Amino acid sequence: MKPHYKPIPSESKLFKVEFQKTSKEFYYPWHYHSELELAFIISGKGVRYVGNSIENFYEEELVLLGSNLPHTWNSTADQEQPVNAIVIYLKEEFFDKSWMQSIEFEAIRNLSTSMNKGIKVDSRVAAALKQKFFNLINASPFDKLMILLQILQELAHNPEFRFLCEQEFTGDLNDTDKTRINAVYNYIQTHYQEQVSLADIASKLSMSEEYFSRYFSKTMKKPFFEFLNEYKINRACKLLIETDKQISEICYASGFESLPFFYRQFKKFKDCQPKTYRMNYQKIAAYQPA
């Protein structure tokens, strides 16, 4: 399946709001578009790729994406529930100098610049904004604009977020590059529990091991095996959250062959140990706002 620039047709010259309620509508190959994007996940789960970031995603997640930042949301083999999402696309005209460059919108302009690195909004902040996203669906065009400005203003003054990419990651890749990256994604998702070698993946792309290694590092801004281990750790996080399996079981089920190496990689990517990660998630899940 050939990835390409994704057009976003819209009646409005400023923005578009979509209620994407089936997997077919939501999932799309690794792609980019000139519009800025706010994606609120209502339900479902899977794996999210943004630039060179790879993470699990769950319901009530809010992610902000800059212009031409490559991304895709993918299901996993054990995915059962379709993904429902409310997605907002901000067009270039939204930031027209005649009004958006005014001092009143300074915070929103700064937010739009920060979105070039991809932003994952804190889950509690996202939950607090959920109703406003739903209000967008059936509002009149004028009311949609007012609600959207309220959402952007709240996000612009929200300190609870993290960047998904360490550096700006633009979509200046040709179709061949994007086809290759999709092939890498698909291969990793299918073979991560096996002992993957450079020879294996390089042969899939008709490259030598040395050329593939250089190519991947240059394109994705990180070495292939770092990317692979990051994917495995996120699979481990999924098992820590969704099952009561022992840590050692999760280690091997995620494709690691050594428990000490698994612990080192988990610490590297999540800055804590697996047991702590599970406990922290359980505390958050148990939290019920008043």
Side-chain angles (χ1 to χ4, degrees), residues 42-280:
I42 300 170
S43 63
K45 57 187 178 181
V47 179
R48 166 179 25 85
Y49 302 88
V50 174
N52 61 359
S53 166
I54 175 172
E55 296 180 346
N56 299 317
F57 73 84
Y58 294 91
E59 62 183 24
E60 296 200 350
E61 167 180 296
L62 176 55
V63 168
L64 317 179
L65 306 174
S67 176
N68 295 324
L69 178 59
H71 58 279
T72 186
W73 275 255
N74 286 344
S75 62
T76 52
D78 53 356
Q79 169 72 16
E80 296 179 357
Q81 184 182 17
V83 175
N84 294 336
I86 297 174
V87 182
I88 303 170
Y89 300 101
L90 303 179
K91 295 184 171 295
E92 184 178 354
E93 291 83 352
F94 187 85
F95 297 94
D96 184 85
K97 292 182 179 180
S98 62
W99 76 307
M100 190 52 74
Q101 296 302 313
S102 178
I103 190 172
E104 291 86 352
F105 299 106
E106 181 179 5
I108 293 177
R109 289 199 309 272
N110 293 336
L111 172 67
S112 68
T113 300
S114 298
M115 287 167 64
N116 290 334
K117 294 183 178 181
I119 292 175
K120 169 68 168 60
V121 178
D122 179 81
S123 58
R124 295 182 189 180
V125 176
L129 287 170
K130 181 179 179 179
Q131 188 57 52
K132 282 188 171 67
F133 274 84
F134 274 102
N135 291 344
L136 284 168
I137 302 302
N138 296 316
S140 67
F142 180 80
D143 287 339
K144 281 184 179 179
L145 177 59
M146 295 299 100
I147 296 169
L148 175 57
L149 289 175
Q150 290 175 358
I151 291 173
L152 290 173
Q153 186 71 352
E154 289 188 40
L155 290 173
H157 291 282
N158 165 50
E160 302 298 324
F161 70 91
R162 60 181 173 82
F163 291 116
L164 296 175
C165 304
E166 295 178 1
Q167 53 189 309
E168 292 186 15
F169 195 104
T170 57
D172 55 349
L173 306 177
N174 58 39
D175 283 346
T176 299
D177 290 329
K178 294 192 288 292
T179 300
R180 288 170 173 172
I181 297 303
N182 266 332
V184 173
Y185 287 165
N186 293 335
Y187 188 85
I188 288 176
Q189 288 193 164
T190 304
H191 300 280
Y192 73 94
Q193 291 178 307
E194 305 168 13
Q195 189 173 6
V196 177
S197 68
L198 277 180
D200 294 330
I201 187 63
S203 65
K204 297 296 180 182
L205 302 182
S206 300
M207 297 179 178
S208 68
E209 294 178 42
E210 183 179 357
Y211 182 83
F212 169 76
S213 182
R214 291 199 309 269
Y215 169 81
F216 190 89
S217 295
K218 180 180 179 181
T219 304
M220 298 300 288
K221 309 296 189 296
K222 65 175 60 175
F224 171 72
F225 283 110
E226 179 178 340
F227 189 83
L228 174 62
N229 287 329
E230 188 174 5
Y231 180 87
K232 291 180 178 181
I233 289 300
N234 279 284
R235 294 297 297 171
C237 289
K238 189 173 187 296
L239 293 174
L240 286 166
I241 290 171
E242 298 178 8
T243 74
D244 57 359
K245 290 183 177 180
Q246 297 294 319
I247 303 298
S248 58
E249 291 182 79
I250 291 174
C251 164
Y252 301 121
S254 303
F256 290 97
E257 298 180 342
S258 163
L259 196 55
F261 182 71
F262 168 70
Y263 275 106
R264 290 197 299 272
Q265 293 297 300
F266 202 98
K267 175 67 175 177
K268 174 182 176 180
F269 290 112
K270 300 302 177 183
D271 198 29
C272 66
Q273 294 301 338
K275 183 178 179 181
T276 305
Y277 182 91
R278 173 179 270 169
M279 291 174 60
N280 289 341

